[in-house]
Amino acid sequence: MGLLYSFVSLDQAQLARRRRLLDNYGQFAQISGLIIPLLGFQLFFAVRFVFRKVWKSNHGQKRKERQSPRVSSFPKSVTEPSNSAWARFRWALDEQVYPEWGTRQEWLVGALWTMWLLLLVVKDTGDDYLHVTKRFGIVAASQLPLHYLLAAKSWSPVQYLTRMSHEELNPYHRLLGRIVIAFFSVHAAMYLNFFVQSSLLAKRIQNRDVILGLIAISSMLVLGTTALSKIRTYSYRLFLTLHVLLSISVLPTLYFHVSHLRVYILESVAIYVLLILQRKFSTTSAIASISCLPSSSLISISIKSDTLAKRKFTPGQHIYLSLPATSAAPLNVLRINPFTIANLPAPDGYMHLVIRPISGTTRLLADLAQNSYNSTTELQIEGPYGAAPYFPDLRNSYGRVLLVAGGVGATFTLPIYRDLLRHAREDNSAPSHIRFVWSVRDVGDAAWGIKCLQDNGDDALPQGFEVYVSGPPLQQQQDISTEGGQLAEDSIELQERHQLLPATTGEHSPGEPSTIEGEGNAGSSVTHMRPGRPDLKTIVDDTFSARDDDSDVQKRVKVAVLVCGPVGMGDALRTHVGRWVGRGRDVFWHNEGFGW
């Protein structure tokens, strides 16, 4: 057959031994999938904890003696120089291998896990071609329970043990799925080759196990293809529909394919049922008020928080929203989209969503808003989810916080900004270390956020709040807003705009603020509105550069950078932040991004 493997004839004892080896290595592959990564995380957390304790005890007193009392009392948002190499290493691992191809860390984990599984495939197979062929299949099947478990949005032991959210684990769910599909594909190809070489193809292609195997591998290939980033972006509904249907149908197909896989299939079914129950218990119906935001293409959805009273919300989380299924529209259950919660539901007394209609569910919601003013409808709400509960303590652990948003990406950053401002007021401290940069195309796209900040209890907008308007000139936007008989005075958003924006059309450089005193509010603050796009390099350099006399301490101030916006904005910001990481700065970075 080949240099390494050949078709061998086995007696009954040898067949029984091969069966035991297949079962044993399948079970070991499954156990290792739980033990190696999860225990590895726990070991990492333990070593990091011990290292920090040892470093603090050995070097803390020396540092205190070297520093002045003022520097010694600097908050714990100062990192040790020894962490610089580790910070650079982490940053390098999080870099994209290629746009939309995943990070270096994902590729490294995928390569290591693939090599481990390949070792389990070939170990103790000798030169038996059918043994290694079967081993590919059973090792792949052993990974299915973990693959389904990684899809859990909450209540997952993997999330608790790794301190990672569903969004952070989802790339590894896709990664393991590709590995499983690849192993099953090799299994199928090697069997087909065996049938051809042995002149058995015409006979075996009619047998149930072969037919079910071909159906299963075909379903997996379609499943893997539609999960590619470009297809998910092109039609998320197509991806979701096929993903749900095929991930369900492939399990009974494999169950009846061969009996040796059934233990893994039953485990996967049990996990899948638990996932359905988890999403069921996380979903509730609520009456929502839907309206168009004046002077913009956005729509607003408001939901009273008493319908969500039992849920805990963290700023920056999102929910999944869908229209309830009806007899006229039974597929509404598949029209499910994630939307970030744009406010703080607990203190505000309601949940607020701001959505830009594109297609699918968002277009249906826009039609509801346009057909009647302030219409109400029943919506299905699932969540909240998101990485925000796993964020470090931005308020106490970081000396500076930079929030950057593009368009409706502010639905992620604005609640975090408001929460930081609220804590600063409670602590009677000036929020000078917090900066929020928001880039929008039209002034009306930022009006809801400005109103939200002013409704926060302050007449003046915070000094760290900046809006960049990249669309038409500001005066031209004011003229357009009154077309069609709509009075500017009838819109709160337009009133905010006239109050906060300059009435002149003079030239402004991107770095020059347009500052206007607020009208009608005594002691209202000056807000900074700038035409054009934000200069991200200057903004990042200003955030990281020293502002204190003791530059040595300032160089060790930890900085948190969070961004939500178009891919280009996130990539450009990361490039500029990466220069400072290369200089040894300790940075918490999170890119919420757009997409699925």
Side-chain angles (χ1 to χ4, degrees), residues 10 14-22 128 130-131:
L10 304 179
Q14 291 172 323
L15 288 173
R17 179 180 179 274
R18 185 171 71 182
R19 182 72 267 156
R20 286 194 303 270
L21 288 174
L22 287 169
D128 188 349
L130 284 182
H131 192 168

Side-chain angles (χ1 to χ4, degrees), residues 10-11 17 27 46 106 177 187 241 270 306 324 330 341 392 394 440 453 469 473 477 485-486 488 493 503 576 578 595:
L10 304 179
D11 57 28
R17 179 180 179 274
Q27 294 169 7
E106 293 166 15
H187 168 77
T241 302
D306 54 2
I341 303 168
L394 301 179
V440 296
L453 285 173
V469 183
Q477 293 188 38
Q486 180 182 2
E493 285 76 7
H576 300 312

Side-chain angles (χ1 to χ4, degrees), residues 250-266:
V250 75
L251 293 178
T253 305
L254 289 174
Y255 181 87
F256 292 105
H257 171 53
V258 289
S259 61
H260 312 296
L261 306 182
R262 290 180 180 176
V263 61
Y264 308 115
I265 305 306
L266 291 175

Side-chain angles (χ1 to χ4, degrees), residues 8-79:
V8 297
S9 299
L10 304 179
D11 57 28
Q12 290 299 319
Q14 291 172 323
L15 288 173
R17 179 180 179 274
R18 185 171 71 182
R19 182 72 267 156
R20 286 194 303 270
L21 288 174
L22 287 169
D23 293 340
N24 291 341
Y25 274 97
Q27 294 169 7
F28 187 67
Q30 181 181 51
I31 294 172
S32 65
L34 298 174
I35 292 179
I36 293 178
L38 300 184
L39 288 187
F41 267 99
Q42 303 313 304
L43 180 62
F44 166 75
F45 293 139
V47 171
R48 185 177 64 175
F49 175 79
V50 171
F51 176 80
R52 288 178 175 177
K53 288 292 184 181
V54 172
W55 175 268
K56 184 176 180 180
S57 62
N58 291 344
H59 300 272
Q61 184 62 32
K62 294 180 181 178
R63 187 182 70 249
K64 185 175 182 180
E65 292 172 356
R66 288 197 309 267
Q67 295 175 346
S68 66
R70 175 178 60 83
V71 176
S72 297
S73 62
F74 202 85
K76 59 183 179 180
S77 55
V78 176
T79 185

Side-chain angles (χ1 to χ4, degrees), residues 93-120:
L93 284 180
D94 286 336
E95 290 286 356
Q96 292 278 329
V97 173
Y98 191 77
E100 299 184 357
W101 279 38
T103 64
R104 293 172 179 170
Q105 177 172 301
E106 293 166 15
W107 278 73
L108 178 61
V109 171
L112 292 175
W113 194 245
T114 301
M115 287 190 291
W116 169 251
L117 294 180
L118 284 174
L119 176 62
L120 298 181

